[in-house]
Amino acid sequence: FPVTIEWGKKDLLPEDAVVFCIHQGYSFYCFRESECAEGNPMIYSFVEGPDSKIEEVMTLELFIDDTKS
């Protein structure tokens, strides 16, 4: 779905993005539904700013393990 942020970026997310954590509308984590068939999708992060882009963070399994500690 199209996403527009303050810095004018549009269509930031791919069609199959699932956003599961958002903080005050300027940062979020998501994964791609198409990567779920493998069982451990990559988690992507975005923090709004003039040079922002979506970046790979870690796999879902590592993300869950990291939040436990």
Side-chain angles (χ1 to χ4, degrees):
F1 55 90
V3 173
T4 303
I5 59 172
E6 280 185 36
W7 297 95
K9 296 181 186 290
K10 296 181 181 182
D11 300 327
L12 191 62
L13 294 171
E15 290 282 328
D16 65 338
V18 177
V19 175
F20 67 92
C21 181
I22 189 166
H23 180 69
Q24 295 188 0
Y26 67 86
S27 67
F28 61 80
Y29 289 106
C30 67
F31 59 86
R32 296 186 72 169
E33 187 176 2
S34 61
E35 297 176 356
C36 290
E38 300 167 12
N40 193 20
M42 183 61 64
I43 299 297
Y44 301 90
S45 173
F46 176 83
V47 177
E48 189 175 11
D51 298 321
S52 297
K53 61 183 179 209
I54 294 179
E55 298 181 359
E56 287 186 0
V57 178
M58 63 184 76
T59 63
L60 178 60
E61 185 177 297
L62 290 173
F63 185 87
I64 291 170
D65 286 345
D66 194 46
T67 59
K68 290 179 182 177
S69 51

